[in-house]
Amino acid sequence: MERPLSGHDSFYVTTPIYYISGNPHIGHAYTTIVADVLARTARTEQRTYFLTGTDEHGQKVADAAAAAGKSPLQWCDDLLPRWKSLFELYQVEYDDFIRTTQPRHETVVQAVFEKLRENGDIYLGKYEGWYCVHDETFWLESKLVDGKCPTCGRPVQWLSEDDWFFKLSKYNDRLKQYFVEHPDWVRPRAVYNEMMALLEEGLDDLSITRTNLEWGIPVPASAGAAHGVIYVWFDALLNYISALGWPAGPKMQTFWPASVQLIGKEIARFHTLIWPAILWGIGEPAPHMVFAHGWITVEGQKIGKSLGNAVDPFELAHRFGSDAMRYFLLREAPFGSDFSYSEEKIVQRYNSDLGNDLGNLLRRSLAMLEKYRNGLVPQPPYDEAERNRVFGEQFADLPRRVRTLIFNLQFRDALEAIWELVSALNRAIDDRKPWTLYKEGRANELDALLYDLCEGLRWLAMLIAPFMPARARTIWHQLGLNTAIDAAWSEALVWGGIAAGTQTQPGEALFPRIEQVPT
Ligand code: MSP
């Protein structure tokens, strides 16, 4: 990759900010969990900032609030705890949660508007065209499909208003050049190509105010002919820098440009064409990478509000545990592609990868240690120099490989790589049969094997910690460890780290078997 995500001394990851027009669904949890895995991995070696939040302005939120008979802000305040509790349930540890109704954000949006106006990037014009409230998007007649929104298929409404426009067309050539010079800045490739095609067609200027809407950040009074509010997308995109205290906040110096901005593919146009142009307009660089992931679908349909209840993320976490759900979401499909969700698939992954492979490895290893060595990690019968012999040598490169795959957003491959160690340890038990070694009094061989099982489990706990933080800690405690589980892999993952004499404490099953849900 051209500009690697790891290796810098700081790491900044963002999720889209979510429209707080209803309850969260599993799709919202998905992006946020992925960001959390990246942030947890980065934090072990770099200064890290992980931002998420809620998009609280716009017609969609105003309409939802009106339908509930509340003021928009009251509506957002009432719903916010539900969103935050979802992220907590899924063990998301963000560094900052931004709400676009916060003054720290509103002042930045107005300041950016002013700066662009002073630079001549904003002008007053007339917008006549269509608008999709669901996607909060302006559409040209020619882009509609059967008269409906080309993205979500919903009916559109006609707008005719005096608005302020951003000179997006002015940045068309610079964008094209940037895409050519940074072929990895938008991933995956299919999305890059789609955006490049839009640049080939040429971008139109963008209306960035809504005259006939009241819920939003007011157009600054100094704009003279000011009326109405700032367009919700212009407002929302700026969250990524308002949270850092643009223009001069110290976090801005440390963390901008972002290392990776995660988005769903339906909002790639905003993040890869409009967003860099706004940034350039105010003299800031574009992010290092925007990664547009696929959709979680049920029977071929994107999960959204209408299907949301069928896959209530709260209920899923309670049924399967948030670790298993995190594992499933990252293991089931390559990040970037769509994947169709089903409970059968979750149960299958849970019972096989988590219950049989990992859970049984921990249970068997600690039970044998208890039986043959009173639960104490044995002194391996090889000396320091030889310690690396078998597993140490074979897996020496694993932490680096896993880290690289994670920063390359290949989460499925990263988990598969970790499972190579799970399988190797399970195979060692089956092949070398500790019960026979014990019966035949082959103490050295038994000690060597038991030691490697404990050390392998220590590695596994550290490697899975970004994906399954709670279960990683369970392994850690059962191994009797009290050092930091989030230590830097480059230092802590050297074979031989677990001390002989450590008292292990077998406990609850990691992933107790669950029966297939009846259909
Ligand atoms: N508010 C805008 C984003 C502004 S960012 C400056 C928005 N919000 S949203 O709530 O409608 O969707 C936000 C994100 O939720 C999507 O981009 C995507 O990351 C995630 N998902 C929503 N539905 C999803 C699926 N069915 N599957 C996977 N992710 C999905 O757009």
Side-chain angles (χ1 to χ4, degrees):
M1 202 167 55
E2 189 193 352
R3 285 189 290 177
L5 292 176
S6 53
H8 297 278
D9 36 330
S10 63
F11 185 84
Y12 180 31
V13 57
T14 67
T15 72
I17 47 172
Y18 303 102
Y19 285 129
I20 187 159
S21 54
N23 279 321
H25 58 70
I26 192 73
H28 303 125
Y30 180 52
T31 320
T32 323
I33 289 168
V34 170
D36 187 60
V37 171
L38 281 166
R40 283 175 185 269
T41 310
R43 257 183 223 125
T44 62
E45 317 234 355
Q46 284 158 279
R47 271 211 287 182
T48 301
Y49 208 66
F50 163 19
L51 174 71
T52 191
T54 42
D55 193 351
E56 305 193 354
H57 292 128
Q59 194 170 344
K60 185 167 154 141
V61 172
D63 288 353
K70 294 185 184 181
S71 75
L73 190 59
Q74 191 60 53
W75 163 267
C76 296
D77 286 347
D78 290 350
L79 261 177
L80 193 70
R82 181 111 182 119
W83 284 74
K84 285 197 164 172
S85 70
L86 177 76
F87 296 154
E88 198 177 315
L89 184 61
Y90 278 92
Q91 306 175 70
V92 170
E93 281 184 0
Y94 45 77
D95 295 290
D96 195 359
F97 189 103
I98 193 156
R99 300 180 60 182
T100 52
T101 47
Q102 288 168 336
R104 62 165 172 162
H105 174 73
E106 299 195 339
T107 51
V108 168
V109 174
Q110 290 191 323
V112 167
F113 186 96
E114 277 300 82
K115 180 151 187 175
L116 292 174
R117 202 171 63 83
E118 280 157 22
N119 295 350
D121 269 350
I122 287 183
Y123 63 92
L124 201 53
K126 183 160 189 76
Y127 181 76
E128 289 229 309
W130 298 98
Y131 193 78
C132 168
V133 175
H134 180 266
D135 289 335
E136 299 278 16
T137 306
F138 298 97
W139 290 113
L140 287 175
E141 176 96 30
S142 59
K143 294 279 190 263
L144 301 183
V145 176
D146 298 330
K148 302 216 166 105
C149 170
T151 311
C152 71
R154 289 178 174 79
V156 285
Q157 52 177 247
W158 180 255
L159 293 186
S160 172
E161 43 184 54
D162 293 326
D163 284 335
W164 289 91
F165 284 75
F166 173 58
K167 284 188 187 162
L168 185 58
S169 59
K170 169 178 150 187
Y171 291 96
N172 207 86
D173 288 345
R174 182 161 171 194
L175 280 163
K176 243 198 260 182
Q177 192 188 347
Y178 192 74
F179 269 69
V180 170
E181 286 171 4
H182 303 94
D184 280 324
W185 102 274
V186 175
R187 290 175 60 200
R189 196 66 188 173
V191 176
Y192 173 97
N193 290 339
E194 209 185 305
M195 296 302 119
M196 200 53 179
L198 292 176
L199 288 171
E200 295 299 341
E201 273 178 37
L203 301 175
D204 297 312
D205 290 349
L206 176 74
S207 165
I208 55 160
T209 56
R210 291 290 316 278
T211 306
N212 300 320
L213 189 68
E214 278 168 20
W215 179 234
I217 300 174
V219 173
S222 52
H227 34 225
V229 296
I230 292 175
Y231 172 43
V232 65
W233 265 103
F234 184 86
D235 159 353
L237 286 165
L238 289 167
N239 89 89
Y240 303 127
I241 56 170
S242 67
L244 299 181
W246 184 87
K251 289 198 197 94
M252 195 66 201
Q253 312 307 318
T254 311
F255 294 111
W256 194 259
S259 313
V260 58
Q261 301 211 259
L262 298 172
I263 57 165
K265 63 183 176 183
E266 76 285 3
I267 54 176
R269 200 169 60 87
F270 294 100
H271 284 84
T272 67
L273 304 178
I274 298 170
W275 178 222
I278 295 175
L279 284 164
W280 292 335
I282 55 169
E284 297 293 344
H288 284 298
M289 187 205 281
V290 173
F291 194 105
H293 66 72
W295 292 336
I296 306 178
T297 61
V298 171
E299 286 162 7
Q301 254 190 296
K302 175 173 182 254
I303 294 177
K305 300 257 151 35
S306 42
L307 278 169
N309 290 341
V311 279
D312 178 359
F314 292 94
E315 198 194 314
L316 287 171
H318 288 129
R319 280 239 306 280
F320 301 108
S322 93
D323 283 275
M325 284 306 298
R326 286 170 66 110
Y327 176 81
F328 170 76
L329 291 171
L330 277 93
R331 175 64 184 79
E332 190 58 26
F335 190 60
S337 341
D338 287 354
F339 73 94
S340 84
Y341 156 95
S342 80
E343 287 193 5
E344 286 73 19
K345 287 185 192 168
I346 302 179
V347 174
Q348 160 73 22
R349 285 259 165 237
Y350 179 104
N351 282 336
S352 69
D353 304 10
L354 299 178
N356 284 347
D357 298 349
L358 182 61
N360 276 344
L361 172 65
L362 177 71
R363 190 189 52 74
R364 302 206 274 173
S365 303
L366 294 191
M368 289 186 296
L369 194 67
E370 184 78 7
K371 191 160 165 198
Y372 305 138
R373 296 290 184 261
N374 295 319
L376 295 174
V377 175
Q379 178 68 43
Y382 40 79
D383 64 24
E384 277 304 316
E386 276 188 296
R387 187 164 268 176
N388 270 344
R389 263 183 333 188
V390 192
F391 286 101
E393 242 167 54
Q394 191 184 342
F395 290 98
D397 196 33
L398 183 66
R400 201 196 50 80
R401 250 175 78 211
V402 170
R403 209 177 166 80
T404 306
L405 288 166
I406 291 176
F407 284 125
N408 214 17
L409 295 100
Q410 293 171 277
F411 303 105
R412 184 170 74 158
D413 297 340
L415 286 165
E416 273 177 355
I418 298 171
W419 252 248
E420 286 169 21
L421 178 56
V422 174
S423 308
L425 295 168
N426 274 322
R427 228 177 10 251
I429 300 179
D430 296 342
D431 292 350
R432 286 150 67 185
K433 303 187 176 48
W435 46 94
T436 309
L437 299 177
Y438 179 72
K439 225 182 322 169
E440 295 177 356
R442 291 150 68 186
N444 275 358
E445 286 169 72
L446 182 59
D447 281 347
L449 178 56
L450 292 174
Y451 183 86
D452 280 344
L453 291 172
C454 295
E455 176 63 357
L457 282 161
R458 186 183 73 88
W459 275 48
L460 288 172
M462 284 190 78
L463 292 170
I464 66 165
F467 297 94
M468 295 186 275
R471 287 299 162 222
R473 280 194 300 274
T474 307
I475 301 178
W476 205 248
H477 291 141
Q478 293 199 14
L479 285 173
L481 296 169
N482 48 27
T483 48
I485 193 170
D486 51 3
W489 291 357
S490 53
E491 284 158 30
L493 290 183
V494 175
W495 204 265
I498 194 163
T502 304
Q503 176 69 61
T504 58
Q505 295 164 346
E508 50 165 337
L510 262 195
F511 296 100
R513 194 176 168 76
I514 38 180
E515 296 313 319
Q516 186 75 39
V517 271
T519 44

